[in-house]
Amino acid sequence: MSMEALLVTEYGPFMDIDELAKLLKIKRESMYQSIYQGRFDIPHAKLGKKYLFPTAQVAQYLDDAISA
């Protein structure tokens, strides 16, 4: 099973910042800082106060990071 299929099964089409922080094992405050400073490499959208991350692109980011 691919990384994308595993993540989509677990999280659905989008992940929120808490789910992604848990997956990446980093503090959500660190993620917020990276986003605000323009250094966060995973595509995301802000809806109101909530950040959403497309699960397929999170999987692609992880695949690229692992194979690099």
Side-chain angles (χ1 to χ4, degrees), residues 3-4 7 11 13-16 19-20 23-24 40 42-44 52-65:
M3 173 83 69
E4 181 178 346
L7 291 179
Y11 299 105
F14 293 95
M15 300 175 73
D16 65 23
E19 293 168 333
L20 187 57
L23 178 70
L24 298 177
F40 201 74
I42 300 174
H44 55 278
L52 294 177
F53 304 86
T55 306
Q57 292 188 353
V58 171
Q60 183 63 50
Y61 173 82
L62 292 174
D63 284 337
D64 292 346

PDB file of all heavy atoms in Angstrom, residues 3-4 7 11 13-16 19-20 23-24 40 42-44 52-65:
ATOM      1  N   MET A   3       2.103   5.245   0.469  1.00  0.00           N
ATOM      2  CA  MET A   3       2.043   6.237   1.545  1.00  0.00           C
ATOM      3  C   MET A   3       0.765   7.060   1.425  1.00  0.00           C
ATOM      4  O   MET A   3       0.074   7.301   2.415  1.00  0.00           O
ATOM      5  CB  MET A   3       3.260   7.156   1.484  1.00  0.00           C
ATOM      6  CG  MET A   3       3.227   8.321   2.442  1.00  0.00           C
ATOM      7  SD  MET A   3       3.756   7.931   4.099  1.00  0.00           S
ATOM      8  CE  MET A   3       5.478   7.627   3.825  1.00  0.00           C
ATOM      9  N   GLU A   4       0.427   7.455   0.199  1.00  0.00           N
ATOM     10  CA  GLU A   4      -0.774   8.266  -0.009  1.00  0.00           C
ATOM     11  C   GLU A   4      -2.027   7.504   0.425  1.00  0.00           C
ATOM     12  O   GLU A   4      -2.881   8.046   1.128  1.00  0.00           O
ATOM     13  CB  GLU A   4      -0.894   8.692  -1.465  1.00  0.00           C
ATOM     14  CG  GLU A   4      -2.111   9.550  -1.732  1.00  0.00           C
ATOM     15  CD  GLU A   4      -2.219  10.021  -3.165  1.00  0.00           C
ATOM     16  OE1 GLU A   4      -1.235   9.925  -3.927  1.00  0.00           O
ATOM     17  OE2 GLU A   4      -3.305  10.502  -3.525  1.00  0.00           O
ATOM     18  N   LEU A   7      -2.243   7.321   4.257  1.00  0.00           N
ATOM     19  CA  LEU A   7      -2.599   8.592   4.897  1.00  0.00           C
ATOM     20  C   LEU A   7      -4.045   8.992   4.605  1.00  0.00           C
ATOM     21  O   LEU A   7      -4.740   9.483   5.493  1.00  0.00           O
ATOM     22  CB  LEU A   7      -1.637   9.690   4.465  1.00  0.00           C
ATOM     23  CG  LEU A   7      -0.200   9.560   4.976  1.00  0.00           C
ATOM     24  CD1 LEU A   7       0.664  10.699   4.445  1.00  0.00           C
ATOM     25  CD2 LEU A   7      -0.135   9.501   6.482  1.00  0.00           C
ATOM     26  N   TYR A  11      -6.590   9.784   7.469  1.00  0.00           N
ATOM     27  CA  TYR A  11      -6.950  11.182   7.723  1.00  0.00           C
ATOM     28  C   TYR A  11      -7.999  11.767   6.780  1.00  0.00           C
ATOM     29  O   TYR A  11      -8.480  12.870   7.015  1.00  0.00           O
ATOM     30  CB  TYR A  11      -5.698  12.060   7.653  1.00  0.00           C
ATOM     31  CG  TYR A  11      -4.657  11.687   8.682  1.00  0.00           C
ATOM     32  CD1 TYR A  11      -3.502  11.007   8.322  1.00  0.00           C
ATOM     33  CD2 TYR A  11      -4.829  12.008  10.017  1.00  0.00           C
ATOM     34  CE1 TYR A  11      -2.539  10.667   9.260  1.00  0.00           C
ATOM     35  CE2 TYR A  11      -3.883  11.667  10.962  1.00  0.00           C
ATOM     36  CZ  TYR A  11      -2.745  11.000  10.581  1.00  0.00           C
ATOM     37  OH  TYR A  11      -1.810  10.658  11.513  1.00  0.00           O
ATOM     38  N   PRO A  13      -9.170  13.375   2.940  1.00  0.00           N
ATOM     39  CA  PRO A  13      -8.510  14.173   1.900  1.00  0.00           C
ATOM     40  C   PRO A  13      -7.683  15.350   2.428  1.00  0.00           C
ATOM     41  O   PRO A  13      -6.784  15.823   1.742  1.00  0.00           O
ATOM     42  CB  PRO A  13      -9.664  14.667   1.036  1.00  0.00           C
ATOM     43  CG  PRO A  13     -10.868  14.587   1.907  1.00  0.00           C
ATOM     44  CD  PRO A  13     -10.622  13.463   2.873  1.00  0.00           C
ATOM     45  N   PHE A  14      -7.975  15.806   3.639  1.00  0.00           N
ATOM     46  CA  PHE A  14      -7.230  16.922   4.221  1.00  0.00           C
ATOM     47  C   PHE A  14      -6.836  16.608   5.654  1.00  0.00           C
ATOM     48  O   PHE A  14      -7.552  15.907   6.364  1.00  0.00           O
ATOM     49  CB  PHE A  14      -8.059  18.215   4.218  1.00  0.00           C
ATOM     50  CG  PHE A  14      -8.335  18.730   2.843  1.00  0.00           C
ATOM     51  CD1 PHE A  14      -9.517  18.424   2.194  1.00  0.00           C
ATOM     52  CD2 PHE A  14      -7.406  19.522   2.185  1.00  0.00           C
ATOM     53  CE1 PHE A  14      -9.779  18.881   0.918  1.00  0.00           C
ATOM     54  CE2 PHE A  14      -7.655  19.990   0.902  1.00  0.00           C
ATOM     55  CZ  PHE A  14      -8.837  19.668   0.280  1.00  0.00           C
ATOM     56  N   MET A  15      -5.704  17.151   6.058  1.00  0.00           N
ATOM     57  CA  MET A  15      -5.237  17.029   7.434  1.00  0.00           C
ATOM     58  C   MET A  15      -5.252  18.416   8.060  1.00  0.00           C
ATOM     59  O   MET A  15      -4.975  19.407   7.378  1.00  0.00           O
ATOM     60  CB  MET A  15      -3.809  16.473   7.466  1.00  0.00           C
ATOM     61  CG  MET A  15      -3.671  15.109   6.846  1.00  0.00           C
ATOM     62  SD  MET A  15      -1.954  14.555   6.760  1.00  0.00           S
ATOM     63  CE  MET A  15      -1.668  14.208   8.497  1.00  0.00           C
ATOM     64  N   ASP A  16      -5.537  18.472   9.351  1.00  0.00           N
ATOM     65  CA  ASP A  16      -5.420  19.761  10.042  1.00  0.00           C
ATOM     66  C   ASP A  16      -4.034  19.849  10.673  1.00  0.00           C
ATOM     67  O   ASP A  16      -3.235  18.914  10.606  1.00  0.00           O
ATOM     68  CB  ASP A  16      -6.554  19.982  11.044  1.00  0.00           C
ATOM     69  CG  ASP A  16      -6.544  19.014  12.208  1.00  0.00           C
ATOM     70  OD1 ASP A  16      -5.486  18.434  12.538  1.00  0.00           O
ATOM     71  OD2 ASP A  16      -7.615  18.846  12.820  1.00  0.00           O
ATOM     72  N   GLU A  19      -3.135  17.107  13.329  1.00  0.00           N
ATOM     73  CA  GLU A  19      -2.855  15.790  12.756  1.00  0.00           C
ATOM     74  C   GLU A  19      -1.480  15.758  12.099  1.00  0.00           C
ATOM     75  O   GLU A  19      -0.720  14.801  12.276  1.00  0.00           O
ATOM     76  CB  GLU A  19      -3.925  15.426  11.725  1.00  0.00           C
ATOM     77  CG  GLU A  19      -5.291  15.197  12.328  1.00  0.00           C
ATOM     78  CD  GLU A  19      -6.408  15.124  11.312  1.00  0.00           C
ATOM     79  OE1 GLU A  19      -6.293  15.728  10.214  1.00  0.00           O
ATOM     80  OE2 GLU A  19      -7.412  14.470  11.626  1.00  0.00           O
ATOM     81  N   LEU A  20      -1.148  16.820  11.367  1.00  0.00           N
ATOM     82  CA  LEU A  20       0.147  16.862  10.695  1.00  0.00           C
ATOM     83  C   LEU A  20       1.288  16.980  11.695  1.00  0.00           C
ATOM     84  O   LEU A  20       2.322  16.322  11.544  1.00  0.00           O
ATOM     85  CB  LEU A  20       0.187  18.005   9.688  1.00  0.00           C
ATOM     86  CG  LEU A  20       1.424  18.061   8.808  1.00  0.00           C
ATOM     87  CD1 LEU A  20       1.619  16.758   8.030  1.00  0.00           C
ATOM     88  CD2 LEU A  20       1.340  19.234   7.851  1.00  0.00           C
ATOM     89  N   LEU A  23       1.833  13.568  13.093  1.00  0.00           N
ATOM     90  CA  LEU A  23       2.469  12.696  12.109  1.00  0.00           C
ATOM     91  C   LEU A  23       3.956  13.005  11.971  1.00  0.00           C
ATOM     92  O   LEU A  23       4.790  12.096  11.935  1.00  0.00           O
ATOM     93  CB  LEU A  23       1.773  12.850  10.750  1.00  0.00           C
ATOM     94  CG  LEU A  23       2.371  12.038   9.604  1.00  0.00           C
ATOM     95  CD1 LEU A  23       2.114  10.546   9.810  1.00  0.00           C
ATOM     96  CD2 LEU A  23       1.794  12.501   8.283  1.00  0.00           C
ATOM     97  N   LEU A  24       4.297  14.290  11.903  1.00  0.00           N
ATOM     98  CA  LEU A  24       5.692  14.703  11.721  1.00  0.00           C
ATOM     99  C   LEU A  24       6.480  14.740  13.029  1.00  0.00           C
ATOM    100  O   LEU A  24       7.690  14.934  13.016  1.00  0.00           O
ATOM    101  CB  LEU A  24       5.744  16.081  11.056  1.00  0.00           C
ATOM    102  CG  LEU A  24       5.130  16.170   9.661  1.00  0.00           C
ATOM    103  CD1 LEU A  24       5.188  17.607   9.161  1.00  0.00           C
ATOM    104  CD2 LEU A  24       5.828  15.226   8.693  1.00  0.00           C
ATOM    105  N   PHE A  40       7.532  26.839   5.348  1.00  0.00           N
ATOM    106  CA  PHE A  40       6.873  25.537   5.430  1.00  0.00           C
ATOM    107  C   PHE A  40       6.643  25.015   4.029  1.00  0.00           C
ATOM    108  O   PHE A  40       5.959  25.645   3.227  1.00  0.00           O
ATOM    109  CB  PHE A  40       5.557  25.656   6.208  1.00  0.00           C
ATOM    110  CG  PHE A  40       5.087  24.347   6.748  1.00  0.00           C
ATOM    111  CD1 PHE A  40       5.717  23.765   7.832  1.00  0.00           C
ATOM    112  CD2 PHE A  40       4.030  23.675   6.168  1.00  0.00           C
ATOM    113  CE1 PHE A  40       5.305  22.552   8.343  1.00  0.00           C
ATOM    114  CE2 PHE A  40       3.599  22.468   6.664  1.00  0.00           C
ATOM    115  CZ  PHE A  40       4.244  21.897   7.755  1.00  0.00           C
ATOM    116  N   ILE A  42       5.179  22.203   2.797  1.00  0.00           N
ATOM    117  CA  ILE A  42       3.991  21.448   2.430  1.00  0.00           C
ATOM    118  C   ILE A  42       2.881  22.429   2.049  1.00  0.00           C
ATOM    119  O   ILE A  42       2.572  23.337   2.819  1.00  0.00           O
ATOM    120  CB  ILE A  42       3.538  20.528   3.578  1.00  0.00           C
ATOM    121  CG1 ILE A  42       4.650  19.542   3.924  1.00  0.00           C
ATOM    122  CG2 ILE A  42       2.261  19.785   3.210  1.00  0.00           C
ATOM    123  CD1 ILE A  42       4.371  18.677   5.138  1.00  0.00           C
ATOM    124  N   PRO A  43       2.277  22.256   0.868  1.00  0.00           N
ATOM    125  CA  PRO A  43       1.185  23.154   0.457  1.00  0.00           C
ATOM    126  C   PRO A  43       0.045  23.134   1.480  1.00  0.00           C
ATOM    127  O   PRO A  43      -0.246  22.094   2.080  1.00  0.00           O
ATOM    128  CB  PRO A  43       0.724  22.572  -0.875  1.00  0.00           C
ATOM    129  CG  PRO A  43       1.882  21.787  -1.376  1.00  0.00           C
ATOM    130  CD  PRO A  43       2.568  21.254  -0.157  1.00  0.00           C
ATOM    131  N   HIS A  44      -0.551  24.293   1.671  1.00  0.00           N
ATOM    132  CA  HIS A  44      -1.632  24.397   2.652  1.00  0.00           C
ATOM    133  C   HIS A  44      -2.571  25.534   2.264  1.00  0.00           C
ATOM    134  O   HIS A  44      -2.233  26.378   1.443  1.00  0.00           O
ATOM    135  CB  HIS A  44      -1.073  24.631   4.054  1.00  0.00           C
ATOM    136  CG  HIS A  44      -0.169  25.824   4.131  1.00  0.00           C
ATOM    137  ND1 HIS A  44       1.156  25.770   3.759  1.00  0.00           N
ATOM    138  CD2 HIS A  44      -0.405  27.101   4.504  1.00  0.00           C
ATOM    139  CE1 HIS A  44       1.695  26.962   3.927  1.00  0.00           C
ATOM    140  NE2 HIS A  44       0.765  27.796   4.372  1.00  0.00           N
ATOM    141  N   LEU A  52      -5.379  23.827   6.514  1.00  0.00           N
ATOM    142  CA  LEU A  52      -5.629  22.485   5.999  1.00  0.00           C
ATOM    143  C   LEU A  52      -4.526  22.114   5.022  1.00  0.00           C
ATOM    144  O   LEU A  52      -4.062  22.950   4.238  1.00  0.00           O
ATOM    145  CB  LEU A  52      -6.987  22.416   5.299  1.00  0.00           C
ATOM    146  CG  LEU A  52      -8.209  22.614   6.191  1.00  0.00           C
ATOM    147  CD1 LEU A  52      -9.474  22.601   5.348  1.00  0.00           C
ATOM    148  CD2 LEU A  52      -8.278  21.545   7.265  1.00  0.00           C
ATOM    149  N   PHE A  53      -4.139  20.853   5.077  1.00  0.00           N
ATOM    150  CA  PHE A  53      -3.055  20.334   4.254  1.00  0.00           C
ATOM    151  C   PHE A  53      -3.593  19.166   3.427  1.00  0.00           C
ATOM    152  O   PHE A  53      -4.098  18.204   4.005  1.00  0.00           O
ATOM    153  CB  PHE A  53      -1.907  19.852   5.148  1.00  0.00           C
ATOM    154  CG  PHE A  53      -1.411  20.916   6.080  1.00  0.00           C
ATOM    155  CD1 PHE A  53      -2.013  21.115   7.308  1.00  0.00           C
ATOM    156  CD2 PHE A  53      -0.352  21.725   5.721  1.00  0.00           C
ATOM    157  CE1 PHE A  53      -1.576  22.103   8.173  1.00  0.00           C
ATOM    158  CE2 PHE A  53       0.101  22.722   6.579  1.00  0.00           C
ATOM    159  CZ  PHE A  53      -0.518  22.916   7.801  1.00  0.00           C
ATOM    160  N   PRO A  54      -3.516  19.232   2.077  1.00  0.00           N
ATOM    161  CA  PRO A  54      -3.988  18.114   1.260  1.00  0.00           C
ATOM    162  C   PRO A  54      -3.187  16.848   1.581  1.00  0.00           C
ATOM    163  O   PRO A  54      -1.961  16.840   1.483  1.00  0.00           O
ATOM    164  CB  PRO A  54      -3.737  18.574  -0.177  1.00  0.00           C
ATOM    165  CG  PRO A  54      -3.583  20.055  -0.085  1.00  0.00           C
ATOM    166  CD  PRO A  54      -3.021  20.334   1.274  1.00  0.00           C
ATOM    167  N   THR A  55      -3.872  15.811   1.973  1.00  0.00           N
ATOM    168  CA  THR A  55      -3.214  14.584   2.413  1.00  0.00           C
ATOM    169  C   THR A  55      -2.325  13.998   1.319  1.00  0.00           C
ATOM    170  O   THR A  55      -1.220  13.525   1.604  1.00  0.00           O
ATOM    171  CB  THR A  55      -4.263  13.560   2.876  1.00  0.00           C
ATOM    172  OG1 THR A  55      -5.087  14.177   3.870  1.00  0.00           O
ATOM    173  CG2 THR A  55      -3.617  12.336   3.480  1.00  0.00           C
ATOM    174  N   ALA A  56      -2.758  14.052   0.075  1.00  0.00           N
ATOM    175  CA  ALA A  56      -1.953  13.511  -1.027  1.00  0.00           C
ATOM    176  C   ALA A  56      -0.627  14.261  -1.153  1.00  0.00           C
ATOM    177  O   ALA A  56       0.417  13.653  -1.415  1.00  0.00           O
ATOM    178  CB  ALA A  56      -2.732  13.595  -2.335  1.00  0.00           C
ATOM    179  N   GLN A  57      -0.647  15.566  -0.932  1.00  0.00           N
ATOM    180  CA  GLN A  57       0.586  16.339  -1.042  1.00  0.00           C
ATOM    181  C   GLN A  57       1.488  16.134   0.178  1.00  0.00           C
ATOM    182  O   GLN A  57       2.705  16.211   0.065  1.00  0.00           O
ATOM    183  CB  GLN A  57       0.261  17.806  -1.275  1.00  0.00           C
ATOM    184  CG  GLN A  57      -0.362  17.986  -2.643  1.00  0.00           C
ATOM    185  CD  GLN A  57      -0.535  19.433  -3.051  1.00  0.00           C
ATOM    186  OE1 GLN A  57      -0.321  20.355  -2.276  1.00  0.00           O
ATOM    187  NE2 GLN A  57      -0.933  19.636  -4.289  1.00  0.00           N
ATOM    188  N   VAL A  58       0.894  15.853   1.323  1.00  0.00           N
ATOM    189  CA  VAL A  58       1.691  15.489   2.501  1.00  0.00           C
ATOM    190  C   VAL A  58       2.421  14.182   2.210  1.00  0.00           C
ATOM    191  O   VAL A  58       3.620  14.050   2.484  1.00  0.00           O
ATOM    192  CB  VAL A  58       0.802  15.344   3.766  1.00  0.00           C
ATOM    193  CG1 VAL A  58       1.600  14.754   4.915  1.00  0.00           C
ATOM    194  CG2 VAL A  58       0.197  16.690   4.152  1.00  0.00           C
ATOM    195  N   ALA A  59       1.713  13.210   1.631  1.00  0.00           N
ATOM    196  CA  ALA A  59       2.325  11.929   1.279  1.00  0.00           C
ATOM    197  C   ALA A  59       3.459  12.133   0.277  1.00  0.00           C
ATOM    198  O   ALA A  59       4.530  11.524   0.418  1.00  0.00           O
ATOM    199  CB  ALA A  59       1.269  10.984   0.718  1.00  0.00           C
ATOM    200  N   GLN A  60       3.243  12.980  -0.721  1.00  0.00           N
ATOM    201  CA  GLN A  60       4.285  13.256  -1.717  1.00  0.00           C
ATOM    202  C   GLN A  60       5.496  13.902  -1.065  1.00  0.00           C
ATOM    203  O   GLN A  60       6.643  13.557  -1.366  1.00  0.00           O
ATOM    204  CB  GLN A  60       3.739  14.163  -2.827  1.00  0.00           C
ATOM    205  CG  GLN A  60       4.734  14.439  -3.939  1.00  0.00           C
ATOM    206  CD  GLN A  60       5.136  13.175  -4.680  1.00  0.00           C
ATOM    207  OE1 GLN A  60       4.272  12.417  -5.088  1.00  0.00           O
ATOM    208  NE2 GLN A  60       6.415  12.945  -4.832  1.00  0.00           N
ATOM    209  N   TYR A  61       5.259  14.836  -0.163  1.00  0.00           N
ATOM    210  CA  TYR A  61       6.352  15.493   0.564  1.00  0.00           C
ATOM    211  C   TYR A  61       7.169  14.464   1.344  1.00  0.00           C
ATOM    212  O   TYR A  61       8.407  14.477   1.317  1.00  0.00           O
ATOM    213  CB  TYR A  61       5.782  16.563   1.497  1.00  0.00           C
ATOM    214  CG  TYR A  61       6.811  17.182   2.402  1.00  0.00           C
ATOM    215  CD1 TYR A  61       7.632  18.206   1.953  1.00  0.00           C
ATOM    216  CD2 TYR A  61       6.970  16.733   3.715  1.00  0.00           C
ATOM    217  CE1 TYR A  61       8.587  18.775   2.785  1.00  0.00           C
ATOM    218  CE2 TYR A  61       7.923  17.299   4.545  1.00  0.00           C
ATOM    219  CZ  TYR A  61       8.721  18.315   4.071  1.00  0.00           C
ATOM    220  OH  TYR A  61       9.672  18.881   4.905  1.00  0.00           O
ATOM    221  N   LEU A  62       6.482  13.548   2.031  1.00  0.00           N
ATOM    222  CA  LEU A  62       7.186  12.518   2.814  1.00  0.00           C
ATOM    223  C   LEU A  62       7.942  11.561   1.900  1.00  0.00           C
ATOM    224  O   LEU A  62       9.084  11.196   2.201  1.00  0.00           O
ATOM    225  CB  LEU A  62       6.199  11.767   3.691  1.00  0.00           C
ATOM    226  CG  LEU A  62       5.587  12.581   4.830  1.00  0.00           C
ATOM    227  CD1 LEU A  62       4.518  11.774   5.541  1.00  0.00           C
ATOM    228  CD2 LEU A  62       6.655  13.040   5.807  1.00  0.00           C
ATOM    229  N   ASP A  63       7.339  11.160   0.784  1.00  0.00           N
ATOM    230  CA  ASP A  63       8.027  10.288  -0.174  1.00  0.00           C
ATOM    231  C   ASP A  63       9.295  10.952  -0.695  1.00  0.00           C
ATOM    232  O   ASP A  63      10.348  10.319  -0.783  1.00  0.00           O
ATOM    233  CB  ASP A  63       7.120   9.926  -1.344  1.00  0.00           C
ATOM    234  CG  ASP A  63       6.081   8.873  -1.010  1.00  0.00           C
ATOM    235  OD1 ASP A  63       6.298   8.102  -0.040  1.00  0.00           O
ATOM    236  OD2 ASP A  63       5.051   8.810  -1.718  1.00  0.00           O
ATOM    237  N   ASP A  64       9.194  12.236  -1.047  1.00  0.00           N
ATOM    238  CA  ASP A  64      10.349  12.976  -1.548  1.00  0.00           C
ATOM    239  C   ASP A  64      11.429  13.100  -0.483  1.00  0.00           C
ATOM    240  O   ASP A  64      12.626  12.958  -0.775  1.00  0.00           O
ATOM    241  CB  ASP A  64       9.945  14.360  -2.037  1.00  0.00           C
ATOM    242  CG  ASP A  64       9.069  14.312  -3.283  1.00  0.00           C
ATOM    243  OD1 ASP A  64       8.992  13.249  -3.926  1.00  0.00           O
ATOM    244  OD2 ASP A  64       8.460  15.348  -3.605  1.00  0.00           O
ATOM    245  N   ALA A  65      11.036  13.365   0.757  1.00  0.00           N
ATOM    246  CA  ALA A  65      11.998  13.523   1.845  1.00  0.00           C
ATOM    247  C   ALA A  65      12.713  12.205   2.144  1.00  0.00           C
ATOM    248  O   ALA A  65      13.917  12.192   2.433  1.00  0.00           O
ATOM    249  CB  ALA A  65      11.289  14.038   3.095  1.00  0.00           C
TER     250      ALA A  65
END
